[in-house]
Amino acid sequence: NQFVALDCVPLNSVAAAELNLLTSNGETLIAVLNTHPFHTLAIAKFHTLYPSNAERKWYGCPRHLIKCTTDAAGKPINWAGDLNDCSVRRKFEPALKMSIPDGAEFIDPKPPTRNHLACVLVLHVSSRTVHVDDCMNWIQDMGVIPRLAIGNKMLTFHPSLLYSGLHPTAQAPLQFKTWAQKVLVDEWEYDTLATAHNAILRGNAKQKVIELLAKKDEALRKLSIKNAVAEAEKAATAQWEGKVPKQELREISDSECQDCWSDVEIECG
């Protein structure tokens, strides 16, 4: 069997022993995928334990490739590819399927302390499990104050969804909704959501996602209208002042990558 690590975390002695036993001391760990632009604190240490080399490829988000260049021992992190590239995301198919939310900023999310919506969601097909680092969170048994504020045993989108998470355009909320419906409802089959920070949703995960999308539909519609008004005002002001808005670089969505298949096939277990 071969294994892929989804994101880097600090390893205590028990977790390290378990991972080493599972991967024959890292020999069968063939890749490390860092799926969230801002979850970087454990990368340097994890690389010292399982460094990038010819047999173990490291992949990350655009921000990782810029910010994370050396590990805790001062050794270079040799990134094999950028997960913003759809051909890189498809290297591990059919065992793993990956997708980045449409309508959200993935390359350089701002503000960095709050905009943690966009990430690479990964479906492990055989176990029917989706790994999602921050775009969605399963809240369970967090303590008294979080339970009063958020609730318990609840699936939520990252709080930045309705604030800084999506592009400030009229199209972005609908793009996000359409992406979620297409990927998380129509295409992917799964029972489990492995989410960051708190807990794992085991069983009936897809139905929970369907219910969450329905719950947020009206808020996304209102955000679209709000953004449309702001866009119209900005465009009118620019025309009045004789200015042309500057176009910005954007991430490559899944829908634009229909023909960029990789010729590399890797079996994952």
Side-chain angles (χ1 to χ4, degrees):
N1 289 333
Q2 293 177 316
F3 296 89
V4 170
L6 300 178
D7 289 318
C8 298
V9 297
L11 296 175
N12 59 29
S13 58
V14 175
E18 183 178 355
L19 183 55
N20 284 330
L21 178 62
L22 190 67
T23 63
S24 299
N25 293 319
E27 289 184 8
T28 58
L29 182 63
I30 62 168
V32 178
L33 310 181
N34 292 275
T35 68
H36 194 286
F38 289 107
H39 290 179
T40 61
L41 296 182
I43 288 178
K45 177 61 176 178
F46 199 88
H47 188 272
T48 63
L49 301 174
Y50 308 101
S52 53
N53 53 42
E55 290 74 34
R56 183 184 303 114
K57 306 294 186 182
W58 274 59
Y59 300 90
C61 305
R63 190 172 181 273
H64 297 141
L65 275 63
I66 296 173
K67 300 288 186 180
C68 304
T69 57
T70 57
D71 67 15
K75 301 292 182 62
I77 300 176
N78 297 312
W79 297 101
D82 183 346
L83 291 175
N84 188 49
D85 184 338
C86 55
S87 66
V88 173
R89 296 198 296 270
R90 287 175 172 154
K91 281 181 179 292
F92 300 93
E93 292 186 356
L96 301 177
K97 294 184 178 181
M98 305 185 206
S99 186
I100 298 172
D102 288 343
E105 176 59 41
F106 177 70
I107 296 174
D108 188 21
K110 289 184 173 61
T113 56
R114 295 192 299 274
N115 186 359
H116 289 195
L117 178 70
C119 63
V120 183
L121 285 79
V122 184
L123 169 65
H124 183 234
V125 175
S126 63
S127 69
R128 296 171 64 93
T129 298
V130 172
H131 172 90
V132 50
D133 194 350
D134 262 15
C135 181
M136 291 182 289
N137 292 103
W138 175 243
I139 308 301
Q140 180 175 325
D141 301 333
M142 287 186 66
V144 176
I145 294 177
R147 285 191 199 187
L148 292 174
I150 303 173
N152 191 40
K153 294 186 178 181
M154 289 184 59
L155 183 65
T156 68
F157 285 117
H158 190 271
S160 63
L161 173 69
L162 300 178
Y163 300 96
S164 58
L166 298 176
H167 293 298
T169 66
Q171 295 80 18
L174 181 57
Q175 289 171 342
F176 180 85
K177 174 189 171 182
T178 302
W179 163 82
Q181 176 68 39
K182 178 175 182 289
V183 175
L184 299 177
V185 178
D186 298 338
E187 294 182 351
W188 286 7
E189 296 296 334
Y190 54 96
D191 305 307
T192 302
L193 280 179
T195 70
H197 300 301
N198 183 231
I200 297 174
L201 171 55
R202 292 182 170 91
N204 207 32
K206 188 170 185 177
Q207 182 58 38
K208 292 287 187 183
V209 171
I210 293 172
E211 294 170 1
L212 177 61
L213 283 171
K215 182 179 178 181
K216 291 297 181 182
D217 188 81
E218 179 62 14
L220 288 170
R221 185 187 71 84
K222 289 181 178 179
L223 180 60
S224 179
I225 293 171
K226 177 183 176 182
N227 290 348
V229 171
E231 280 188 304
E233 182 176 317
K234 182 178 179 180
T237 300
Q239 287 185 337
W240 187 265
E241 297 176 353
K243 299 176 181 178
V244 179
K246 181 180 178 182
Q247 290 187 341
E248 298 180 352
L249 295 175
R250 60 183 179 84
E251 63 276 358
I252 305 169
S253 67
D254 291 340
S255 60
E256 297 174 283
C257 300
Q258 298 302 317
D259 297 321
C260 52
W261 293 92
S262 169
D263 58 356
V264 179
E265 294 185 359
I266 301 177
E267 182 180 351
C268 304

